[in-house]
Structures are given as structure tokens and as C-alpha cells.
Amino acid sequence: MKNHFKLFLARLSAVVAVLLLLADCGNVFASYVVKDLGTIPGGSSSGAKAINNAGQIVGWAFIGAGGGGYLPVFWSSSDSSSPHVLDMSGFSFNTAPIANGINGSGQIVGTDLSGFAAFWNSSTSPVTDLKSLGTGGVANSINDQGQIVGYSIIDDLVESPYDHATFWSNSGSDPVDLHTLGGLRSEAFAINNMGQIVGQADINPGMGFWYAAFWNNGDATQPMQLDDSGGAGLATAYGINDLGEIVGGDGGEYVFNYVNPLCWNNRSSQATILTGGNVVLGINRFGFKVGCAGGQRAIYWSLGSNIGLDLNNLLPANSGWVLYQANAINDHGEIVGVGTIGGQIHAFAVEPQVDFPFLRATFNPAQFSWILNALVNPHGDACTVWFQWGLNTNYEGGVTLPM
């Protein structure tokens, strides 16, 4: 009982500390600016797939009519409107390559459409083909330790070629087969800095249905099926942050036809069904999420909210943009994806106009030993305060206070 009371007093003291902080903050509110990332000279379109905490962005650009089709590209920051084309000389077939992921050191992974997983040590280095379990592969994500996940394409004399989720401990390592949930196929889409991996796998060789899957630290044993029993079934997990929070969608197989956006607090929890979109594609370390509604509107879920907001409604009036799909969000709140401006499909970056996650309270450990930090999310004349009580715990609270 004494410990519970001590915890209550500590948390109450933390709320008071945040209130004192807010007294000096004025009426701050969250607003956003959108930036056109442009395309390469002669290109007709572009899209952004990932962004790291340094603001470096990767994705694709397209040149039609004999110009080479899709090309893998890199933006040094959201202020760049002319992407740099990554080296493609080492690709085995060089068929429409794209860049899918980037880590904090600027290492990049991707693929070409002929099925060869690619790695770039930096935006200016030569491309390297990653080893495959079969005839080719796709690299989707790379963490800050240089660990890579994706899938290999495996030929079978009885079945048609199928995918197996694959883990590479580094760019030069042999691939590790992450196996399936009992069926033929699996794919890995994201890896966090703890080495935890998420994706999809099937459970029956003859059914071909996907289920959200989790692998721990590149363990090649059978993956864990995530609990989506409250949803529409056929789930996929697309993202995981360093706290182990997982996001994805269910009820479909492609971005445009998922039914429910999903979030798992951890690998053992049941999925929470979110609203406002149909799939969540990215999550940052604080738990802010992004995705889309049918591939037609980019959606944003604020910290602790299950209700998605149309990202277009958070932009300044008459921006000229229609944001279709938000693919990733970094820890500074910068969001990247694909939209249209002036009738052209272009990569975009959306940035908050105040520090993200807006304000952070600093606590004296001697006074507030139970609290690690607090986030303050201002909105209009009020704000919502969230607390993190330990290094590897989720943010809690959601207390709304007047400003």
C-alpha cells in the first residue's frame, strides 16, 4: 500500500511539474508544412519509402518511354527537391530498382523488380547484391546495427516460386531462413534496433492466406503468429518500434484493400483496431503512426489515439497537395510518402512546425525517480501529457490539460 501511495505521489508531482512547464510555453499548437521532394531530371514521378532520424530519405523515381523505368533515389533532407540516383552498376539485371529502407548511419536497402536484394553502404557507394536462399530476393528494412530483413525467392519443382522471410546479420553474411507458420510463404517487412522482426506468413501449404508474424532476434525457428482475433483475419505487420509496438492491417493483401488498421502493444497482446484508415505502415519510437485509407488519403494517428486523422486536413489551406499514402515517420515527427501536386505524382515530406514531440519535460531523478520523461502534445488551447515510467515501457497517461 505504501509503495502504491509513493507511486501516486510521484506521478502527481510529475503532472505538477508539467503544468509548471506549460506556464511558460504560451499557446503553442501543432501545425504542419508539406515539402515537394521533386523527381530526377526528366522524371515523371517519385515516391518516398523511408526516412531516418537525420532526415535522410529514400524511395524511387520514374522515367518512362525508354528512360529506364523505376530508379532508386536518395534525398539528403526534406529541403532537397532533386533526388540523387543511387548506383545500379552492380545489379545482376538492373530491372526497375527501388530503395526501401535506410538506417541511422545512412545505409540503404532495396531491390530490383527482377528479384535481387540490394544494399548500399551510403548514398554514394556501389550497390551490393545480398545473398539469397534461392534465385533472388527483396530487402525491406535495415536497423542501426546493419541487420537486414526481407525475403528470398525460392524455386520449387512442384509449386511456383514462393517467398521465404530472410534475415541478414550484415550485408556480407549468408542469409538465414526465418521459415513460415506452417505454409510455403513468408515475408519480413521491418526490423527494430532490438533485432525484433515483423511481417507475414501463411499457415497451410494449400491455402495461401497471410497472417501477421513476429520473429525474435533473427531466430530461425518457427515465427510467432500475432493475435488479430478481434479483426477481419488475414493480417500483415508492417512496422515495429524499439519498444516492440507493432502496426499493420487485416482483411486484405494489398495497401488499397485492407479492412482494418491494427496496432499491437507488444508481440503477446491482441491487436487493437484503429479507425480513420485501412492500414498502418509506419510507427516511430514514441508511438505516433502513419498509413493510409485505401491508398487515397494519407492518415496520421497521434500518440495514444486510436482515431486516424486525414493528414491533408493538417496542412495549410490551399497547399495544392493531395497526400495519398504516408509510408514512414521518424522520431522528429517528419512524415514521408506519396501524393500529387499540380497533377504530378511526387514524393512528399510533412514536418511539424514545432519541435516534435512538441515539448519534453526534464525531471530531476532525485525528485521524480519514477518517471523517465514526459511528452506534451499541444493542440489549440489544450494539450495532452504522456509519461514514460521506465526505459523500455510505453508512454502512458493521455491527460488533457488547458493551456
Side-chain angles (χ1 to χ4, degrees), residues 68-223:
Y70 288 94
L71 301 172
V73 294
F74 166 88
W75 293 266
S76 58
S77 75
S78 61
D79 293 323
S80 173
S81 59
S82 180
H84 162 71
V85 178
L86 299 174
D87 173 71
M88 299 176 293
S89 60
F91 271 118
S92 299
F93 287 97
N94 195 19
T95 305
I98 60 174
N100 289 324
I102 184 169
N103 67 8
S105 300
Q107 295 175 314
I108 300 165
V109 294
T111 186
D112 71 350
L113 294 187
S114 62
F116 282 86
F119 169 84
W120 294 265
N121 195 50
S122 72
S123 63
T124 58
S125 67
V127 66
T128 300
D129 272 355
L130 299 177
K131 298 176 184 178
S132 172
L133 296 168
T135 58
V138 171
N140 286 318
S141 177
I142 181 170
N143 67 12
D144 288 346
Q145 285 71 50
Q147 297 171 317
I148 302 165
V149 295
Y151 57 89
S152 293
I153 300 169
I154 299 175
D155 284 326
D156 187 279
L157 296 179
V158 178
E159 301 286 339
S160 60
Y162 53 89
D163 306 332
H164 257 219
T166 304
F167 168 83
W168 295 267
S169 59
N170 58 66
S171 61
S173 69
D174 290 330
V176 175
D177 189 345
L178 295 178
H179 298 291
T180 75
L181 290 167
L184 288 174
R185 304 180 300 163
S186 60
E187 297 177 349
F189 291 116
I191 182 170
N192 66 13
N193 288 321
M194 307 298 110
Q196 297 171 320
I197 302 163
V198 295
Q200 61 185 10
D202 58 10
I203 63 174
N204 188 309
M207 295 177 64
F209 295 144
W210 293 116
Y211 293 86
F214 173 94
W215 296 265
N216 194 35
N217 296 317
D219 188 347
T221 60
Q222 184 169 310

Side-chain angles (χ1 to χ4, degrees), residues 193-266:
N193 288 321
M194 307 298 110
Q196 297 171 320
I197 302 163
V198 295
Q200 61 185 10
D202 58 10
I203 63 174
N204 188 309
M207 295 177 64
F209 295 144
W210 293 116
Y211 293 86
F214 173 94
W215 296 265
N216 194 35
N217 296 317
D219 188 347
T221 60
Q222 184 169 310
M224 172 189 294
Q225 181 181 343
L226 297 174
D227 183 358
D228 65 331
S229 56
L234 307 182
T236 297
Y238 281 111
I240 182 169
N241 67 12
D242 286 349
L243 294 179
E245 296 174 288
I246 301 166
V247 295
D250 72 4
E253 194 171 355
Y254 303 101
V255 166
F256 62 85
N257 71 356
Y258 285 105
V259 175
N260 297 307
L262 301 179
C263 177
W264 293 264
N265 288 333
N266 55 64

Side-chain angles (χ1 to χ4, degrees), residues 32-36 291-293 295-300 309-316 319-326 335-341 346-351:
Y32 296 81
V33 61
V34 60
K35 296 184 177 181
D36 185 355
C292 66
Q296 299 298 312
R297 309 291 287 188
I299 305 296
Y300 164 79
L309 303 175
D310 188 333
L311 196 54
N312 294 276
N313 295 337
L314 303 180
L315 301 181
S319 71
W321 277 92
V322 178
L323 308 183
Y324 287 155
Q325 182 171 311
I335 301 168
V336 296
V338 182
T340 59
I341 177 75
H346 274 198
F348 70 78
V350 170
E351 299 178 350

Side-chain angles (χ1 to χ4, degrees), residues 287-303:
F288 292 81
K289 310 170 190 69
V290 295
C292 66
Q296 299 298 312
R297 309 291 287 188
I299 305 296
Y300 164 79
W301 289 266
S302 187
L303 179 63

